[in-house]
Amino acid sequence: MSSTPINGRDHAELAAEYALGLLEGTDLERAVELARTDLAFRSAVDRWTGHFAPLFDTVSPVEPPARTFKAIERQLVGPEAGYANDNAVGLRQQLNRWRILAGGSTALAASLAMLLILRPPGEIAPPTTVAGPPMVAMIEGGQGAARLVATWSERDRSLTVVPATVPAANAGHAHELWMIPADGKPRSMGVMPDGPMHATVEPAVAEMLAEGVVLAVSLEPAGGSPTGAPTGPVLASGKLQRA
Amino acid sequence: MPLNPAYRSLFSARTAFPSCSPAGMSMDMDRTPSATQELTPLLRSIASGDRSALSALYERTSAKLYGVVLRLLPNEPDAEEVLQEVYVSVWRNAGRFDEQRASPITWLCVMARNRAIDRLRRRQLPTAPLEDASDVPDDDPSALDRIEAQQDSGRLRTCLDELDERPRAMIEAAFLGGSTYTELAEREGVPLGTMKSWIRRSLLRLKGCLER
């Protein structure tokens, strides 16, 4: 990444150029990096995107091929031939369990809803049901002194995360647990309660929780990341390994 | 130099339903508050897992979104694939839609554009290491969560009209067509530096006007 100092005026210009899609090469890289790390830059990009959105009015509609919606529906079908919405019941049960663990807090709802998102498209191979010994991840070594131990049992799809040392989040902040599977995209596993966390994981999510998958905890606004991706510093992370 | 005809149609095209700007405030007098009234409950139903609502939303919005995607990806198989991704993403992320921040159709159009741009630029984007938990996933709907509802979208039209015709057309070609600086410079037959300074100057004027 370029270490050239950039002043505020350049940033404002870059944000507009990025929102318009004009950038390539190192300029694009710089903008992507800034959008990741600099809230003011991101807000500027969003403002410009909002400014330009009325341009969509000038786009004429084009009927997509008739087959397209069928193809979309196929991708909504989960590995067990159930639709994502069938998960709503299971999710609610999980939610209740989490609420009990979290002392009745309903603020978890927003981030727990993420679990629904985790179901991968139907084209992913059906889960193999070979359940080995439990896996363990030492989640540590990020900014701050946070240290947690995660235990993952494929057999009953149960995930337990026990904090060993976790500095309390300030008011207005929360610790959010993420998993980063082989595709490199962080998926929220919900906001951490104050004590140990236990959850039964969706089959589709369970499929992704393999050896080598990274679990990480980030600092987020109360209620969890508003964006679905980690927005704050990573407090600790660690890989799942066979116990 | 004559205006590239590829750009000229941008502002003459009639707006077709549904408009991609906030309800009742579209640039082209196509006031469609009913679109927002219809689409918002559909998105809510989708968020609660109602598949018939997705089908209804698709029926009402797919032609518009396909139009948006095709502008960026003229190759139809690519465009069709991206359109599929958009609705799969809508199915998963409908719960994030916030009507305080954007109209449903703006939210959908931005999502479609982001997906299509992502496809266009994928090879140019840096790849982050697997362990980098702060990596923004490529289907990151975060940008969508933060689009501020524009109080006056007519303002953009007014402000764009204050620009010269060519830079104005190029700004539109970049946003809707995904043209980069290099592509615009080539198409217009001007040096890259010239193109950059044209557009930067126009953006500065646009900003001044929009914030007036």
Side-chain angles (χ1 to χ4, degrees):
Chain A
M1 198 62 18
S2 157
S3 59
T4 319
I6 307 158
N7 64 36
R9 195 181 149 276
D10 283 345
H11 267 197
E13 192 170 74
L14 194 71
E17 293 171 324
Y18 182 46
L20 268 183
L22 290 162
L23 302 175
E24 295 159 283
T26 52
D27 287 341
L28 179 60
E29 278 177 33
R30 204 178 67 179
V32 168
E33 181 62 20
L34 276 170
R36 239 160 54 96
T37 54
D38 183 331
L39 204 61
F41 182 80
R42 233 154 66 171
S43 305
V45 173
D46 296 335
R47 262 197 311 280
W48 276 109
T49 306
H51 283 325
F52 290 125
L55 287 175
F56 289 124
D57 286 3
T58 61
V59 177
S60 306
V62 180
E63 279 302 327
R67 62 176 177 266
T68 311
F69 190 67
K70 284 263 173 285
I72 292 164
E73 280 189 309
R74 274 198 299 276
Q75 294 177 55
L76 306 182
V77 179
E80 294 163 327
Y83 297 114
N85 54 339
D86 292 340
N87 293 335
V89 176
L91 184 69
R92 224 166 279 134
Q93 286 164 353
Q94 284 177 18
L95 186 59
N96 287 336
R97 193 178 317 176
W98 281 52
R99 275 187 187 144
I100 293 160
L101 280 165
S105 161
T106 52
L108 286 176
S111 42
L112 277 178
M114 294 293 301
L115 289 176
L116 197 60
I117 296 165
L118 299 178
R119 181 173 280 272
E123 72 260 14
I124 289 174
T128 48
T129 48
V130 184
M135 285 186 251
V136 175
M138 303 298 290
I139 309 175
E140 58 192 345
Q143 299 173 29
R147 193 155 174 272
L148 308 91
V149 181
T151 314
W152 163 239
S153 163
E154 289 160 293
R155 199 182 304 274
D156 50 9
R157 303 201 312 274
S158 105
L159 179 71
T160 308
V161 182
V162 181
T165 335
V166 178
N170 297 328
H173 287 90
H175 294 136
E176 190 162 0
L177 180 70
W178 304 87
M179 76 147 169
I180 305 145
D183 65 5
K185 290 181 202 165
R187 265 83 161 183
S188 174
M189 303 291 286
V191 169
M192 294 285 300
D194 286 336
M197 182 189 99
H198 174 76
T200 304
V201 173
E202 291 280 345
V205 181
E207 213 185 315
M208 287 191 258
L209 279 169
E211 210 169 355
V213 164
V214 174
L215 295 177
V217 174
S218 71
L219 188 66
E220 300 295 338
S225 162
T227 68
T231 62
V234 175
L235 302 174
S237 68
K239 278 185 187 174
L240 270 178
Q241 282 161 346
R242 291 270 170 219
Chain B
M1 201 179 301
L3 182 68
N4 185 320
Y7 306 145
R8 199 176 293 135
S9 63
L10 287 176
F11 260 110
S12 56
R14 276 294 303 171
T15 308
F17 174 84
S19 135
C20 272
S21 70
M25 289 187 255
S26 85
M27 296 162 60
D28 213 353
M29 301 297 127
D30 177 24
R31 298 178 185 279
T32 56
S34 64
T36 291
Q37 279 164 16
E38 270 185 15
L39 298 180
T40 303
L42 282 179
L43 281 171
R44 284 208 200 97
S45 303
I46 292 167
S48 67
D50 178 353
R51 238 161 46 90
S52 66
L54 184 72
S55 170
L57 183 87
Y58 181 87
E59 214 170 275
R60 286 165 178 75
T61 57
S62 58
K64 182 72 194 183
L65 298 196
Y66 195 51
V68 168
V69 173
L70 270 177
R71 287 293 291 274
L72 290 148
L73 299 166
N75 174 20
E76 286 180 25
D78 278 354
E80 197 190 334
E81 219 176 288
V82 166
L83 189 70
Q84 290 174 22
E85 287 175 19
V86 171
Y87 283 94
V88 172
S89 182
V90 167
W91 174 247
R92 296 176 180 173
N93 295 303
R96 294 160 178 276
F97 170 67
D98 178 355
E99 61 192 297
Q100 302 301 313
R101 312 203 71 170
S103 77
I105 195 68
T106 299
W107 190 74
L108 292 167
C109 286
V110 171
M111 189 185 295
R113 176 180 180 267
N114 284 357
R115 284 267 171 182
I117 289 261
D118 187 53
R119 173 73 62 109
L120 264 180
R121 306 265 189 273
R122 195 164 290 165
R123 278 173 218 93
Q124 302 167 21
L125 288 171
T127 48
L130 182 67
E131 284 79 6
D132 188 353
S134 61
D135 183 32
V136 178
D138 67 5
D139 58 352
D140 173 26
S142 58
L144 304 165
D145 295 338
R146 300 188 306 260
I147 302 304
E148 295 288 346
Q150 295 300 294
Q151 291 313 301
D152 180 10
S153 62
R155 186 91 201 138
L156 176 71
R157 181 61 189 264
T158 310
C159 291
L160 280 173
D161 282 346
E162 284 183 11
L163 301 178
D164 293 334
E165 191 183 3
R166 281 175 80 191
R168 182 175 74 216
M170 280 168 241
I171 283 173
E172 294 161 25
F175 188 74
L176 296 174
S179 305
T180 60
Y181 271 137
T182 314
E183 287 160 0
L184 289 173
E186 273 169 17
R187 221 176 299 170
E188 293 294 310
V190 299
L192 183 59
T194 307
M195 180 54 69
K196 284 188 178 176
S197 62
W198 278 357
I199 290 187
R200 284 178 183 159
R201 210 178 315 131
S202 304
L203 286 172
L204 217 57
R205 283 181 62 188
L206 201 55
K207 189 165 189 267
C209 175
L210 288 167
E211 287 170 4
R212 222 165 23 226

